[in-house]
Amino acid sequence: MPKKTLFLLDGMALAYRAYFAFIANPLRNSKGENTSAVYGFTNTLMKILSDEKPDYVAVAFDTPQPTFRHKAFSDYKATRQKMPEDMVPQLPLLKEIAVGLGVPVIEAPGFEADDIIGTLAQQAHRHNVETYLVTGDKDFMQLVGHGVTMYNPLKKGVEKELIDSDAVRLRFGVGPEHVTDVLGLMGDTADNIPGVKGIGEKTAVKLIAQFGSIGNLYERIDEVPGKLKEKLLRDKENALLSKQLATIDTNVPVETNVKALIRTAPNASVLVPIMERLEFNSLIQRLGLSVEESPEAPADRRSPHQYLLVRTKADLKNLLSRLEKTTFLAIGTQTTSPDAFRAELLGLAISWKPQTGYYVALQEERARLDMLEGLKPVLENPSIAKLGHNIKYDLLVLRQYGIQLRGVGFDTMIASHLIHGEQSATLGAMAQRHLHWDRAPAGLHDPPLEGAAPEELTERACEEVDCIVRLKPALSTILTENRSEQLFTTIELPLVEVLAEIERNGVWLDLKILSDMSREFGDQIDALEKRIFKEAGTEFNMNSPQQLGEILFDKMQIHKVAGIDRPKRTGKTGQYATDVKILEQYRSLPIIDAILAFRQLSKLKSTYVDGLPPLIHPATGRIHSTFSQTVASTGRLSSSNPNFQNIPIRTDLGKEIRKAFRAQEKGWCLLSADYSQIELRVMAHMSGDEGLIEAFAQDADIHTSTAMKVFNVSDSRVTPDLRRKAKDINFGIMYGISPFGLASRIGLNQAEAREFIANYFATFPRVKAFIERTIEEGRKNGYVQTLFGRRRYLPDLQSKNYTVRQMAERAATNTPIQGTAAELIKIAMINIHNRLRRSRLAARMILQVHDELVFEVRRDDAAALKSIVQSEMAEAADLKVSLKVDVGIGDNWLETK
C-alpha cells in the first residue's frame, strides 16, 4: 500500500517569490491594487493540489513576534529590507484563499515557518507519511532524508525540482546532517547570520567534509593551517552561534497534528468573492466554480455589457444627448489599413463608462458626412479628455476627414510602455495583465475582415474602447506609485500631438537626385562585382553567404594568406560566418575590401536610394514616416516605414543620401539643429564630476580635453589618433565598455585598454562612482531611471550568469544617460511646437533623428526660426552644464551640417 503524502508549504517564501517574479510587470486589478504575490501563491498552491493530490497539506507562515533566534542574536535578519508596502495587504488575502482551497494555515508566535514545517515533518515521519517541503530555501536541506524531500516548484527551466539526500550531497558536498555546520561557518547574508569572517561556502564544505562537524573542527583546530586557523579562532563564538541560528527547531508546540491536516474540498462561498474582487477569473474557471455560487459577487460582473450600433440620425442624437455632461471619452477608429494616411474610416467607437460602448458606422459616404459633422464639436472640444490606445493613429485618421481631435488626455499604450518597458503593450496583453480578461479584445487598428458589416464591427470596436476605459484608472494608479505620472503628463502625452504633426508634415525628396544616385550606385556595384569575381577566379551569387564562405575559405583559403585560423562552420547549414566582424579581420586583402564596399553600396541602394521613392504618398508627394514612443526601452523615439533613424551619417556615401532631402516649395530651405555631445553633458550632470563639468564650462573640445588628461599630454601633443581614442573611451564608458571591447575598438591589447579605462576613472572619479552607484541601485531596486523618472527594469542584474549580468550592467549604465538625453529633445520638441503655433512663421518640423531636429522653413523666416529652436533646445532643462546646439541652414539636409 503506497504511503500517504504530506505537502508543507513555506507561505512567506512563496509569497515573496511570486511578488518579485512580477516585479518588472506587477499584476494589478482594475482598481490598481497589486495582486502579484497572492496570484502567484494561489497559482502554485492550486497546481500542487491538482498535480500531486496530497493526502495532507498545510501552509506555514512567520509571525511578527520575535523568535528565540532574535533573543540569541539581536541582529538576526536585521539587514532584511522592509516588506514592500503593496505586498502587506496581500498576505491576509492569500491566507484566506488557502483556507478556501481546503488547506490549513498554521502559525506559531515566537517561531518561524521553518520551525513549524520541521516539527510537522518529524511528526509525519513517526506516522509513516511521506513529506514534501515546498520551498527553494537551502536551510530546509537539513531536514531532508527519512521520508522528507524538498519540492521546489519555482526552479527555472524545470517543472519542479525534487531534492533528496543525494541531491543535498551534490549541492553542498556534505549530507543533510551536516548542513547546519556548513551554514554555521559560511554564515547567511539573507538572515544576517555572521558565520566566520573570510570563510565562504567552498572552504566551509571542505572543513566539514574533513572534520565532520563544527565541534570536531574546534577540538582538532591545531590541524588547521596558518591564517585559516586564525580566522576560525577569532570567530569561534560566531561559528557556534551561527550553527544554532541556522538549526531548524523540530519541537514547536503547534496546536495541530498531521492527521488534522487532511485536505478538504474548495469552499466556493469563501473563494469566489475574494477571487472576484482580485479579478482572478481564469483561476475561478480552473476550479470549476462560477460567479453565481457567490452571493457577494459584484452586480456589474453578472450584468451583460451594452454595446450599441449608431447608424441613423436618431441614434446619433441619442448618443450626443448622453455625451453632454461627460468629461472624458475613450475613442477608437475602425479602418481599412494600419497606415493612417492610406486608411479609409469605417467607424468610430466611443465609451465613457465600463461595459458600455457605441459604434458609429461611417462606411456609407453620405452617413459619414452627417455623423462626423454631428460628432465634430465633441471631438474637437479640448475640455473633454480623449482616451485611446495609440491615440496618435486616431488623431491622424480623423484629421484626414477634417476633424482635429483635441484634448488628448490618456494613451494606454504609452502608459503601459512607461510601466512595463519592453513587455507587450498591445491592448490584448494589457487586458489580460491588468483586467485578467481571459479573452483578449481584437487588435486595435488591425483592419477588420474585408466586407465586414457594421453589426459585426460593433462588438469588436466597443470592446476595445470599453477596455480602454477600464484600464485607465489601473494604469493611472501605477504611474502615480512609480512616480512616472509627471513624465507621462508633461512629456510623453503632449508629444503625441507633436509627432502627429511631424508625420502629417512628412518630408519631400528630390527624385532626380535619387534617380541619378541609383544609376551611379548601380554602376559602382557592377564594377565591384566584376572585381570580386576576378579576384575569386569564378562567378558566384554575391547574396549567398554559403557560396561566399566556400569561395573565401575553401577555394581561396584567405585565412592562410592572413595567417589566421580558418573560421568554424556555424548553424544548421554548416556554412562559414561571413558577417562584417569576421571579414574585417581580412581587411588588408583586396577581395575583402571590395566585398565590404559592395555590401555597403547594395544596402544603401536598396534601402534608401531605391527604397524611399515607393513610399511617397501619391496625394501629398511626401513621405510620412511613423514615429513611435513605445519601442525603445530607453525612451528614444523610433521611426518606421521608413526608418529615418538608420540613415548613415558617418560615411560619405550615407551623407550623399541627405542631398535628396529638400524643401518642396520655392523660396524655402531646411534648418537642422543638433545637440552637441548631449549624452556626455548629461553624464557630467548626473555624475557631478568636476573635471567633466569644468571642461564643458570652458567650452573645450571634450575629446581633446579627455585625451590630455587620460594620456597626460599637452594640448599641442593631442594627435588625431589620440583624440579618436579619447572619443571612443568617452562614449564607451557610457555604454559600460569592457577592456576587451575597448581594445577591439581602438586597436590595443587588453592590458593597455584596461590601463586607459583605469586612467579615465582616476581622472574623472565621480563618473566611476556614478556608474557603480547606478548599477548597485538597479540591483537593489530592480530598475534604473532617468533624470525625469523613466524606469527601466533590469532583473538580469541579479543573474548568476556572468555574460547576462554584464549585459544588464551595461544597460543600467547607459539607460539613465541615453534616456535623459531622449527626454531633453522631447521637451524641446514640445516647446518648439507650441512656439510655432503661436508665431506667424512659415515653418514646420519634419524630422527627429536621435539628437537632431530638421525643419522646413521659408528662407525669410529662417533666422527667426533658428533663434526659437536654439533657445528652446538649449533651455530644455537646467543642468550643471550648458546644452550646446549646433544649427545649420541649407538647400538640402546635407548642406545644413
Side-chain angles (χ1 to χ4, degrees):
M1 183 177 177
K3 285 185 178 182
K4 291 187 178 295
T5 57
L6 165 66
F7 275 70
L8 296 170
L9 288 78
D10 183 349
M12 197 67 78
L14 290 174
Y16 263 101
R17 289 280 291 272
Y19 178 86
F20 284 102
F22 293 102
I23 190 65
N25 301 286
L27 300 177
R28 297 179 186 272
N29 60 14
S30 57
K31 299 182 183 69
E33 297 169 326
N34 189 319
T35 60
S36 299
V38 64
Y39 180 86
F41 171 87
T42 305
N43 195 50
T44 299
L45 181 53
M46 285 174 57
K47 183 169 173 50
I48 288 173
L49 294 175
S50 172
D51 293 355
E52 308 300 340
K53 298 178 175 53
D55 299 293
Y56 308 102
V57 63
V59 184
F61 283 94
D62 298 336
T63 63
Q65 290 87 353
T67 67
F68 67 90
R69 295 181 181 87
H70 292 93
K71 294 172 183 175
F73 181 53
S74 59
D75 286 337
Y76 178 66
K77 291 190 176 181
T79 55
R80 283 203 173 181
Q81 292 185 1
K82 187 179 177 183
M83 182 182 292
E85 288 184 13
D86 55 357
M87 184 177 168
V88 175
Q90 296 184 62
L91 296 183
L93 294 171
L94 58 84
K95 291 176 186 177
E96 288 181 51
I97 285 178
V99 172
L101 287 168
V103 177
V105 171
I106 304 176
E107 298 173 322
F111 295 93
E112 296 182 52
D114 306 33
D115 304 312
I116 297 169
I117 290 172
T119 299
L120 292 172
Q122 288 279 41
Q123 282 188 22
H125 174 60
R126 291 195 292 271
H127 289 286
N128 200 30
V129 174
E130 191 78 24
T131 303
Y132 292 89
L133 314 179
V134 183
T135 178
D137 189 342
K138 65 181 182 299
D139 292 359
F140 283 92
M141 290 182 179
Q142 64 188 275
L143 301 175
V144 169
H146 305 295
V148 178
T149 304
M150 280 180 64
Y151 179 109
N152 183 5
L154 303 173
K155 177 76 172 178
K156 280 189 177 181
V158 295
E159 186 177 355
K160 62 187 178 186
E161 179 188 34
L162 297 177
I163 301 173
D164 57 12
S165 297
D166 289 339
V168 172
R169 290 187 184 90
L170 189 64
R171 160 69 177 83
F172 256 116
V174 296
E177 67 278 9
H178 295 308
V179 167
T180 54
D181 293 289
V182 172
L183 293 174
L185 292 178
M186 63 182 276
D188 188 340
T189 54
D191 290 341
N192 200 35
I193 295 176
V196 176
K197 190 174 181 181
I199 291 184
E201 181 178 334
K202 188 176 179 181
T203 304
V205 169
K206 185 178 177 182
L207 288 169
I208 298 305
Q210 180 181 351
F211 294 99
S213 69
I214 287 180
N216 288 342
L217 169 63
Y218 279 104
E219 284 180 10
R220 298 162 53 189
I221 192 67
D222 289 337
E223 297 178 33
V224 180
K227 290 187 177 180
L228 183 56
K229 176 181 176 180
E230 292 176 16
K231 292 176 183 177
L232 288 165
L233 289 173
R234 182 191 63 218
D235 278 347
K236 180 179 179 179
E237 288 186 13
N238 277 344
L240 297 172
L241 172 64
S242 296
K243 178 177 178 178
Q244 178 189 344
L245 296 174
T247 300
I248 292 174
D249 187 348
T250 56
N251 294 294
V252 176
V254 291
E255 297 178 0
T256 188
N257 59 66
V258 171
K259 296 297 183 181
L261 303 180
I262 191 164
R263 174 190 175 189
T264 59
N267 187 332
S269 63
V270 173
L271 284 174
V272 176
I274 300 172
M275 289 188 169
E276 273 295 309
R277 179 198 149 188
L278 297 171
E279 299 170 9
F280 291 170
N281 302 330
S282 60
L283 298 187
I284 292 175
Q285 289 182 356
R286 274 171 54 190
L287 287 165
L289 305 176
S290 66
V291 176
E292 285 72 18
E293 294 181 63
S294 167
E296 300 177 23
D300 64 339
R301 282 285 174 181
R302 292 198 295 266
S303 61
H305 56 249
Q306 189 177 42
Y307 295 160
L308 301 177
L309 173 61
V310 177
R311 65 187 313 169
T312 68
K313 289 184 178 180
D315 294 338
L316 180 63
K317 185 177 180 181
N318 176 52
L319 171 60
L320 292 173
S321 68
R322 294 172 180 271
L323 291 175
E324 286 179 356
K325 294 183 180 179
T326 188
T327 57
F328 71 90
L329 275 182
I331 64 165
T333 53
Q334 291 290 310
T335 69
T336 58
S337 170
D339 183 340
F341 296 96
R342 288 174 167 82
E344 181 183 345
L345 184 60
L346 300 176
L348 178 69
I350 291 175
S351 178
W352 61 94
K353 61 181 179 179
Q355 296 180 297
T356 302
Y358 290 82
Y359 178 66
V360 184
L362 301 169
Q363 284 168 268
E364 298 176 10
E365 188 174 351
R366 181 67 257 173
R368 181 191 301 150
L369 294 172
D370 292 340
M371 294 289 185
L372 289 179
E373 191 63 31
L375 288 168
K376 188 171 184 175
V378 175
L379 296 174
E380 293 190 344
N381 184 351
S383 300
I384 300 175
K386 311 304 188 303
L387 283 56
H389 184 82
N390 188 14
I391 200 169
K392 173 164 65 67
Y393 176 89
D394 302 307
L395 193 154
L396 287 167
V397 169
L398 291 171
R399 186 73 180 270
Q400 301 290 95
Y401 289 85
I403 292 177
Q404 295 191 40
L405 190 69
R406 291 193 174 95
V408 173
F410 203 88
D411 190 311
T412 51
M413 185 173 77
I414 296 173
S416 179
H417 183 69
L418 284 181
I419 295 165
H420 300 299
E422 297 171 0
Q423 298 291 317
S424 174
T426 65
L427 198 61
M430 293 165 63
Q432 291 173 323
R433 185 183 297 131
H434 297 283
L435 306 179
H436 303 289
W437 284 17
D438 302 309
R439 182 179 63 81
L444 195 65
H445 303 142
D446 289 342
L449 292 174
E450 188 174 350
E455 290 81 4
E456 296 176 77
L457 294 177
T458 299
E459 181 78 12
R460 159 193 167 126
C462 290
E463 187 178 48
E464 290 167 354
V465 290
D466 180 13
C467 182
I468 292 168
V469 168
R470 298 196 208 192
L471 281 169
K472 198 263 184 183
L475 296 175
S476 295
T477 299
I478 303 170
L479 287 171
T480 301
E481 288 177 356
N482 288 359
R483 299 180 181 176
S484 303
E485 187 178 25
Q486 187 172 7
L487 171 66
F488 178 72
T489 57
T490 64
I491 298 179
E492 295 299 336
L493 211 53
L495 191 67
V496 170
E497 293 187 43
V498 180
L499 295 178
E501 191 68 26
I502 291 175
E503 290 180 25
R504 268 185 60 80
N505 290 337
V507 298
W508 190 78
L509 296 174
D510 189 321
L511 291 181
K512 185 179 184 309
I513 290 177
L514 286 178
S515 177
D516 292 343
M517 199 177 295
S518 178
R519 188 167 52 254
E520 291 171 14
F521 279 20
D523 291 342
Q524 291 179 50
I525 289 169
D526 289 343
L528 284 167
E529 189 175 53
K530 289 175 183 175
R531 179 178 153 195
I532 292 165
F533 292 162
K534 183 179 179 181
E535 292 284 344
T538 185
E539 293 188 5
F540 59 96
N541 182 0
M542 280 292 299
N543 295 315
S544 168
Q546 184 169 353
Q547 290 186 33
L548 177 62
E550 289 169 355
I551 291 291
L552 294 178
F553 301 114
D554 288 340
K555 182 179 184 294
M556 299 182 68
Q557 299 196 355
I558 63 171
H559 51 285
K560 289 186 177 179
V561 178
I564 301 173
D565 289 340
R566 185 201 305 261
K568 293 180 180 179
R569 293 178 181 269
T570 60
K572 293 180 180 178
T573 59
Q575 66 189 37
Y576 294 108
T578 58
D579 54 51
V580 173
K581 190 175 181 181
I582 295 293
L583 297 187
E584 284 281 0
Q585 300 176 74
Y586 310 95
R587 189 88 196 205
S588 59
L589 303 178
I591 190 171
I592 300 301
D593 193 50
I595 290 170
L596 293 174
F598 175 90
R599 284 182 173 178
Q600 184 188 40
L601 270 171
S602 298
K603 184 176 181 179
L604 288 174
K605 185 175 186 296
S606 62
T607 306
Y608 298 107
V609 179
D610 295 339
L612 291 176
L615 298 177
I616 294 174
H617 195 285
T620 65
R622 300 170 75 89
I623 291 180
H624 304 273
S625 180
T626 298
F627 288 84
S628 176
Q629 300 162 256
T630 59
V631 173
S633 54
T634 59
R636 272 192 165 189
L637 293 173
S638 65
S639 64
S640 58
N641 200 32
N643 183 355
F644 285 128
Q645 312 287 338
N646 279 357
I647 293 180
I649 58 174
R650 290 186 174 86
T651 65
D652 291 337
L653 289 173
K655 291 176 181 177
E656 284 297 302
I657 293 171
R658 294 190 170 206
K659 281 185 179 179
F661 288 74
R662 303 173 66 89
Q664 187 173 8
E665 302 171 59
K666 287 186 178 180
W668 285 55
C669 60
L670 296 189
L671 180 145
S672 166
D674 196 355
Y675 274 125
S676 173
Q677 298 167 340
I678 181 67
E679 292 184 5
L680 286 171
R681 292 172 189 268
V682 169
M683 185 167 73
H685 171 82
M686 296 187 82
S687 68
D689 189 90
E690 293 87 348
L692 273 182
I693 292 172
E694 181 187 4
F696 282 119
Q698 294 176 354
D699 200 23
D701 180 293
I702 192 65
H703 303 312
T704 298
S705 179
T706 298
M708 291 167 61
K709 293 175 180 176
V710 171
F711 302 121
N712 194 26
V713 295
S714 63
D715 188 354
S716 61
R717 295 185 63 191
V718 176
T719 63
D721 183 57
L722 279 183
R723 185 185 182 279
R724 179 185 63 81
K725 289 178 179 177
K727 182 177 180 179
D728 283 330
I729 295 172
N730 272 330
F731 287 110
I733 292 296
M734 288 191 296
Y735 288 86
I737 199 165
S738 66
F740 174 79
L742 184 61
S744 302
R745 185 178 296 184
I746 62 179
L748 301 169
N749 60 49
Q750 286 194 55
E752 290 172 320
R754 190 175 289 108
E755 184 181 353
F756 283 173
I757 292 174
N759 288 345
Y760 182 94
F761 284 140
T763 305
F764 305 113
R766 295 188 69 175
V767 170
K768 187 172 192 282
F770 164 73
I771 291 172
E772 291 174 345
R773 184 173 67 250
T774 300
I775 292 172
E776 183 55 37
E777 289 177 356
R779 191 170 284 120
K780 175 183 174 183
N781 300 326
Y783 63 84
V784 294
Q785 62 183 7
T786 65
L787 194 61
F788 297 92
R790 180 185 306 275
R791 292 184 179 182
R792 183 178 183 183
Y793 289 91
L794 295 166
D796 284 341
L797 286 172
Q798 300 281 4
S799 175
K800 293 180 180 179
N801 183 302
Y802 176 78
T803 303
V804 172
R805 189 172 67 252
Q806 277 233 311
M807 288 178 64
E809 288 178 357
R810 284 195 289 271
T813 300
N814 174 247
T815 294
I817 297 166
Q818 191 178 91
T820 298
E823 287 156 3
L824 288 171
I825 200 164
K826 288 177 180 179
I827 293 169
M829 291 168 71
I830 294 165
N831 293 340
I832 293 167
H833 173 78
N834 293 335
R835 288 276 299 272
L836 290 180
R837 270 185 170 181
R838 296 192 300 268
S839 75
R840 295 184 178 181
L841 296 182
R844 47 181 169 257
M845 202 182 315
I846 62 171
L847 272 180
Q848 188 276 344
V849 180
H850 301 312
D851 306 322
E852 179 182 7
L853 297 178
V854 184
F855 301 81
E856 263 185 3
V857 58
R858 190 170 57 197
R859 196 169 287 278
D860 292 346
D861 291 328
L865 176 64
K866 178 180 178 180
S867 176
I868 290 173
V869 171
Q870 205 157 26
S871 65
E872 292 298 347
M873 289 180 71
E875 296 167 14
D878 184 17
L879 304 184
K880 295 171 184 173
V881 295
S882 60
L883 295 176
K884 185 178 179 182
V885 184
D886 297 322
V887 180
I889 299 169
D891 288 331
N892 60 60
W893 192 5
L894 183 60
E895 286 185 9
T896 65
K897 306 309 289 180

